[in-house]
Amino acid sequence: MHKLTVSLSLIATSIILSSTAVAQQLDAVTIVAKVNAVDEGEYVSRKLLMTMTDKRGKSRQRDTISYRKYYADEKRTVLFYLQPKNVKGTGFLTYDYADKARDDDQWLYLPAMRKVRRISAADRGDYFLGTDLTYEDMKLEGKLEPADFVYSVIGQKQQQGKTLIQLAGVPHNQQIAVELGYSKVQSWVDSSNWIVVATQAWDLRGNLLKSITNSDIRRIDGIWTRHLIEVLNHKTGHQTVYQFSEVNYKTLVKDSLFRKNALSRGR
Amino acid sequence: MSVLFFNSMILCVLLPSGLVQAELSSSLQQQWAFNTSTGDSQKMATVLQVEFNTPLAEESYFTVISEFKYDFQKHLATAQERPPSYSSVNGPSWENGKAQLTVQELYLDSSWQQLQLRLGKQQLVWGEADGLKVLDKVNPSRFSEFILEDFDQSRIATWMLNAQWEVDDSSSLQLLWIPDSSYHEMPRAGSEYSFSSAATVPVPAPGVQLQLRRAAKPDHWLTDSELGVKYTAFKNGWDISLNYLYHYRDFAVLYRQQQGSKLVISPEYQRSHLIGGSLSNTFAGVTLRAEIGLDTASFFLRSDLIDSGITKSAELSSLIGLDWQGGDNRVSGQWLLSNILDYNSQIIRDQYEHTLSLSYQRDFANQTISFSTLALHSPTNNDGLIRPKLSYNLRSGFDLWLGADVFYGSKSGLYGQFKDRDRIYTGFEWSF
């Protein structure tokens, strides 16, 4: 029995060591590539409940449904507000082009105006509709952007049986830093599924700006999916919790949802 | 057939099949406004709006938005009785002095392959302009508060068939058939925002008695129906539309005749063809918007009584706008030009009329607080309107606001005629 225990311990230790060794051997470029290669599905539909809470504890909720679909390298996303009634019917449509030099095309439908408005692609560092994630954060959907940051591996740790690799990202230049509003980021990547589980970002003065935690990560239709994202803005004390539900990668998402007409119809 | 009976019949036919997945959402709004010139309370109204949505079948949805309004003061009412500008199937379903029940919208959405249908009473907006109208002439409007009411409140939904065909991935064709002959709802004579400038209403000479006849209102569901076609496309980053509307002008033409010591006014509604288009694109963070519209028949008051005091002419209107957004700041400017193509010196209005608009909005505290201001200025008449507003989202679904509407300029101008109707307003909306 004692021998068996020792053997199992040795096996477990060797697995952890080999996993650690693998993580140590991988360079940042490879890790970023693995994170960005995680399958997102060609299309997805999901409900998203956003709960925004200020530093005094006052909360607001936004109940939405969103759809995303890839057309080769072009990503189209549409978000409809379902509740409460004072924002119900608001719709936001984005065409995100693979060519980084080309600005996204965006449209906003405001029910009070009964009109779809063309809007300029927001500055990447602007906050998305009053939440604590920026337009760029939303667009990346947990991916990493090597065109903006130089990444390096700065550590790793074991957590609940998983190896988490710590990456540090520094903007390529000051212009990118100003655009994004970040002087530095650090992310923890789960080496078992290559999902980013936590990120911290520092503002241009080097102060900790926000902490992002991704949890309730599970496979849906075979695809690793984050169901809970918690973002705390350390500067304002404001936080946003994003809860995803009814995630569906299998049911075909209609092309007609990504047209201006769908915005005004709310579906 | 009463409006209430007509709406009830449609509800009875459509509702039973889809109640299982029905959604109900409501809002309660309280509005107060004070005339700062007189110090009098101008408006104190409670508005309860209930929206009901339900799927009826695959790809078919039903929506009804109804509104109950209780106006404690009625200073802004259009008329004591049911406004005559509505068709027999539009207007309030029920009213009793200060209270009013209206089906704001009631429609069925359905789609089949590339075809999408919206059938029923609905609001529809054409064009790219904000707050100024060139192509936005599908629905009539209510002017009991001039243009101060929110657009979704003042725009009058009409019964129509709205069909849209997706031609390909980036273009579509829309067809409209509107059998509902409803027109602009004008303010009651003598009410707070009744029109008085000479370019908009006849002003009789001193001692001359005015006699207003009942409007000759075309209202046959088929022969007086309106037709519209819109082609939209998204090409190389440009949003483009081409529009055509065969419609009735929603302002009655005020024909005048001198009969003895009386000036008799005979309002009539006249047909016109609206032909136009719009475009928009973004450049380096700035959105460019433009639209143009030619109405083949517009009607202008003359200073004499030749041709019953009216000159008919085509009118060309164009608008260009620029929007910029940076962080929590948004700035938007527009320039509208209206040109009377067959102008003569007897027309009271100038041949060219310019209107400039400038709006600014800034959000604070994760969009819980918002300050906005809109300025409308007419260089032609040197008058205008300034509208600052502060809004606060107190908690989920609960908003408060405080604002002001300030008119300035000559009393003969569109805005200046209300220079003694400045107001401060406040209110709240609770969504549940």
Side-chain angles (χ1 to χ4, degrees), chain A residues 4-152:
Chain A
L4 180 62
T5 307
V6 171
S7 300
L8 287 174
S9 298
L10 284 172
I11 290 167
T13 305
S14 63
I15 289 171
I16 289 169
L17 285 175
S18 67
S19 169
T20 305
V22 167
Q24 281 176 333
Q25 286 163 14
L26 294 175
D27 60 14
V29 172
T30 307
I31 294 167
V32 169
K34 283 180 175 293
V35 168
N36 290 343
V38 171
D39 188 12
E40 290 181 282
E42 187 187 344
Y43 40 78
V44 64
S45 64
R46 57 203 166 177
K47 285 196 167 175
L48 168 61
L49 175 66
M50 294 184 277
T51 305
M52 295 165 273
T53 308
D54 69 13
K55 61 183 176 187
R56 289 173 294 181
K58 193 183 76 178
S59 286
R60 297 176 292 151
Q61 287 196 320
R62 300 284 185 264
D63 203 355
T64 68
I65 188 165
S66 76
Y67 304 88
R68 188 246 299 144
K69 190 169 188 175
Y70 278 96
Y71 295 79
D73 289 335
E74 181 184 321
K75 182 167 79 171
R76 297 183 180 183
T77 311
V78 66
L79 179 82
F80 299 106
Y81 281 70
L82 305 174
Q83 291 288 346
K85 188 173 183 301
N86 57 346
V87 293
K88 182 180 180 178
T90 302
F92 183 70
L93 172 65
T94 300
Y95 289 3
D96 172 13
Y97 301 105
D99 178 3
K100 296 291 175 193
R102 184 176 175 186
D103 279 345
D104 297 350
D105 284 312
Q106 296 181 334
W107 296 265
L108 179 68
Y109 177 75
L110 295 171
M113 304 292 288
R114 304 295 166 116
K115 196 174 64 172
V116 177
R117 283 198 66 157
R118 181 71 176 272
I119 55 175
S120 66
D123 288 339
R124 299 194 290 162
D126 286 353
Y127 285 92
F128 179 76
L129 303 176
T131 70
D132 290 290
L133 287 180
T134 63
Y135 281 88
E136 184 68 11
D137 295 332
M138 294 292 289
K139 183 171 155 179
L140 288 174
E141 291 191 78
K143 303 290 188 190
L144 301 170
E145 183 48 272
D148 288 332
F149 292 97
V150 179
Y151 288 101
S152 58

Side-chain angles (χ1 to χ4, degrees), chain A residues 56 58-62 76 83-86 88 95 97 105 107 111-115 117-120 123 126 129-132 238 254 256 259-261 264-265 267, chain B residues 25-26 49 53 59 61 105 109 116-118 123 125 127-130 152 164 166 169 234 237 239 280-282 285 287 323 327 366-368 392-394 396 399 431:
Chain A
R56 289 173 294 181
K58 193 183 76 178
S59 286
R60 297 176 292 151
Q61 287 196 320
R62 300 284 185 264
R76 297 183 180 183
Q83 291 288 346
K85 188 173 183 301
N86 57 346
K88 182 180 180 178
Y95 289 3
Y97 301 105
D105 284 312
W107 296 265
M113 304 292 288
R114 304 295 166 116
K115 196 174 64 172
R117 283 198 66 157
R118 181 71 176 272
I119 55 175
S120 66
D123 288 339
D126 286 353
L129 303 176
T131 70
D132 290 290
H238 193 272
K254 293 180 296 181
S256 59
R259 292 182 185 146
K260 283 168 61 181
N261 186 39
S264 57
R265 287 176 183 260
R267 60 180 69 88
Chain B
S25 54
S26 308
Q49 197 175 77
N53 312 92
E59 304 296 334
Y61 303 87
E105 295 185 62
D109 278 320
Q116 295 178 324
L117 286 174
R118 177 168 284 186
Q123 291 190 20
V125 178
E128 296 284 346
D130 277 345
D152 60 333
Q164 185 139 334
E166 303 287 355
D169 183 47
F234 178 62
D239 280 301
S280 63
N281 201 347
T282 59
T287 303
D323 309 324
N366 292 78
Q367 296 186 356
T368 54
Y392 178 42
N393 181 221
L394 184 65
S396 251
D399 296 285
S431 303

Side-chain angles (χ1 to χ4, degrees), chain B residues 1-8 82 87-93 121:
Chain B
M1 180 164 54
S2 79
V3 176
L4 182 60
F5 178 69
F6 181 73
N7 291 332
S8 303
R82 186 172 182 279
S87 70
S88 57
V89 291
N90 207 328
S93 302
K121 189 180 182 185

Side-chain angles (χ1 to χ4, degrees), chain A residues 51 61 96 119 153 183 202 233 240:
Chain A
T51 305
Q61 287 196 320
D96 172 13
I119 55 175
V153 179
S183 63
W202 283 259
N233 186 317
T240 305

